[in-house]
Amino acid sequence: MAMALNPFFLPNPFSFPKTKSILISDHTFFPSYSNSTFHSKTNESKKELLVPRVASIPYQPLNVDYLEEEFSGHGVTFQGIGDSCVAKMRLANRSTAILMLPSGLITSYKTAMWHGGTDEVLHSSVSEEDNGDGRGGAVVRGGVSLALEFSSGDGVSWSPSNWTLRSIEGNSQDKIRVELISTDPGEKVEIKYIVTLKEAELSSDFEISNSRSAPIQLTGCVLSHLRVSTPDATYAIGLERSNFFNRPPYLSSFSLLPPDFGQKKKSELSQMLDKMLIWQPKNRNNGEETKSGKKESEEEMEGEETDNYKHLREEMSRIYTFAPRNVTVIDRGRRNSIIVGRKGFDELYMLSPGSDHEYYGKYSYISVGQSAMIKPLVVGAEEVLRIGQDLYNPNL
């Protein structure tokens, strides 16, 4: 096991340009622009992209040459991009994963298939956005992202977004284990983020150690954008009899959502959002009418899933409780499936952008999140909480 030292961050004796060629995914959606901020090219069926930043989060520059020297020999290679870099994990069976540092965003997971080839599991997208200084730039969204927020009884809250590479273990023949670490501002809470690539599985595990004298709360989710041909051909298996709550889409720095989501008049979710956002009692003096309207709204927001083979063609944004630990997502268009496993979390968040979009396009995905959005998770004083997610490929 190799351990990272201070040279991981500044001072960085190496100068990197603001844009640098980076492999995001073999199936990344690339919009076209008249003024090309970035370009893609094909080289042995690989797409490369000029990307200067990730989701508008500023980071200290990384010393890529140091990373290559310190952590080589474990099946991981590094590539610099502006102030960030990517770590590409590769196994002998051709399964790969791409992890961006220090954001912790996983942009790609390609797994070996029964037919001898490989297939991309995750969906990532690159778009041009204004970063606030008028210059604009390309932003990466999607993949597997972390949207976790911690809070304490004294009103202090923080979200880990700047991860330090701590160690890399394993080899390209068996499995590769990358451990990242982050701490709260007072260095009383340590979060380990462990990404493990196996022949048929990619896991994201967290070990949260609270050395404070009081408990802390964790809210948010681990959000995965799963690549599909179209939501019209996609089904979720195993949700029957799970309770659900309709909720507005969960937005984070890396989440991907159509700009017109929830605006279609015939959309069930749109009607729900209208009730949530603009519902007002008709007569403030009529207590019975107000109570009746609130009850009706709550009934439409909550329910029990009756379909064990749920079609995801319609727009939806739900949090499931009492859901099984493993849910299978099947894409009949690509004749593929993925098993999403939950560890430690009590809730399952699921979003479909709906089928009114181009097949294999920017919004051909399903979002699945292991979440603590309705009921926060509690890490007691001097305790350790272990949570995580598995993406398992049953197609070998």
Side-chain angles (χ1 to χ4, degrees):
M1 176 178 72
M3 299 296 296
L5 303 176
N6 290 336
F8 181 81
F9 287 110
L10 291 175
N12 183 355
F14 303 94
S15 176
F16 300 106
K18 288 299 180 181
T19 59
K20 207 170 183 182
S21 178
I22 174 175
L23 180 64
I24 299 297
S25 167
D26 285 359
H27 301 282
T28 304
F29 173 80
F30 298 94
S32 58
Y33 297 98
S34 55
N35 297 323
S36 179
T37 303
F38 60 90
H39 71 275
S40 63
K41 63 181 180 180
T42 301
N43 182 13
E44 298 179 357
S45 300
K46 296 180 180 179
K47 291 184 178 180
E48 294 186 342
L49 180 67
L50 296 180
V51 184
R53 63 194 179 93
V54 179
S56 305
I57 299 177
Y59 301 114
Q60 293 177 305
L62 302 183
N63 188 328
V64 179
D65 287 1
Y66 166 77
L67 296 179
E68 284 281 7
E69 180 180 353
E70 184 70 15
F71 297 102
S72 62
H74 297 280
V76 181
T77 58
F78 298 90
Q79 183 178 354
I81 168 175
D83 293 340
S84 304
C85 76
V86 295
K88 182 172 183 180
M89 298 173 273
R90 183 180 182 88
L91 295 178
N93 76 334
R94 293 184 296 168
S95 292
T96 63
I98 297 177
L99 172 66
M100 299 195 75
L101 299 173
S103 68
L105 175 67
I106 303 174
T107 62
S108 174
Y109 169 38
K110 291 182 62 178
T111 181
M113 298 292 292
W114 57 268
H115 49 64
T118 60
D119 197 17
E120 176 65 67
V121 173
L122 300 179
H123 181 84
S124 56
S125 173
V126 181
S127 59
E128 187 177 27
E129 299 180 10
D130 188 352
N131 60 10
D133 58 8
R135 294 180 301 173
V139 176
V140 184
R141 299 188 188 279
V144 178
S145 63
L146 313 178
L148 305 176
E149 182 174 353
F150 296 87
S151 59
S152 57
D154 55 7
V156 177
S157 64
W158 72 96
S159 298
S161 60
N162 199 332
W163 297 90
T164 300
L165 179 58
R166 184 171 187 176
S167 68
I168 297 179
E169 298 176 346
N171 56 71
S172 59
Q173 299 299 319
D174 182 22
K175 66 179 181 181
I176 301 172
R177 181 183 184 274
V178 177
E179 181 178 313
L180 310 178
I181 190 170
S182 180
T183 60
D184 70 318
E187 298 187 349
K188 293 291 186 179
V189 180
E190 179 185 81
I191 306 103
K192 294 181 182 177
Y193 176 23
I194 303 165
V195 179
T196 305
L197 176 65
K198 301 179 182 179
E199 288 189 351
E201 182 181 326
L202 179 70
S203 62
S204 300
D205 296 302
F206 302 87
E207 184 177 297
I208 303 161
S209 302
N210 178 23
S211 61
R212 290 170 173 249
S213 58
I216 58 173
Q217 286 191 341
L218 166 63
T219 57
C221 70
V222 180
L223 187 62
S224 299
H225 296 71
L226 305 179
R227 175 178 174 256
V228 299
S229 57
T230 169
D232 189 51
T234 306
Y235 300 79
I237 299 177
L239 293 174
E240 185 178 15
R241 302 187 68 179
S242 300
N243 296 335
F244 67 79
F245 296 82
N246 287 318
R247 289 291 188 267
Y250 186 79
L251 300 179
S252 68
S253 298
F254 304 108
S255 58
L256 182 63
L257 194 69
D260 61 346
F261 189 90
Q263 300 302 312
K264 298 179 178 61
K265 293 182 180 180
K266 294 183 179 181
S267 169
E268 174 185 350
L269 180 60
S270 176
Q271 297 174 20
M272 180 273 294
L273 289 175
D274 288 342
K275 289 180 179 293
M276 291 181 61
L277 299 177
I278 65 174
W279 177 85
Q280 294 289 342
K282 295 181 180 179
N283 187 346
R284 294 182 181 274
N285 296 323
N286 188 336
E288 291 299 322
E289 183 178 356
T290 301
K291 183 178 180 180
S292 175
K294 182 178 180 181
K295 181 177 180 181
E296 180 183 353
S297 177
E298 289 178 348
E299 287 178 350
E300 291 196 12
M301 290 169 56
E302 302 178 16
E304 180 179 304
E305 185 60 67
T306 59
D307 195 349
N308 196 51
Y309 196 73
K310 183 170 182 58
H311 202 176
L312 301 177
R313 66 188 305 174
E314 302 295 336
E315 285 185 357
M316 65 171 284
S317 176
R318 287 181 175 178
I319 300 174
Y320 286 91
T321 58
F322 301 104
R325 291 295 176 184
N326 296 300
V327 173
T328 301
V329 177
I330 293 181
D331 178 8
R332 297 176 65 181
R334 293 169 57 233
R335 299 182 179 180
N336 196 5
S337 61
I338 190 76
I339 298 175
V340 183
R342 187 173 77 255
K343 296 178 289 189
F345 289 97
D346 296 323
E347 306 163 2
L348 175 71
Y349 170 70
M350 183 167 289
L351 178 143
S352 171
S355 298
D356 297 332
H357 305 284
E358 181 183 1
Y359 283 30
Y360 299 97
K362 183 175 182 178
Y363 302 115
S364 294
Y365 69 91
I366 299 295
S367 289
V368 179
Q370 315 307 325
S371 78
M373 292 188 278
I374 294 178
K375 181 181 179 181
L377 296 176
V378 177
V379 188
E382 305 296 333
E383 290 185 355
V384 177
L385 175 66
R386 294 177 176 85
I387 54 178
Q389 171 188 263
D390 296 325
L391 297 177
Y392 176 73
N393 165 38
N395 303 288
L396 283 177

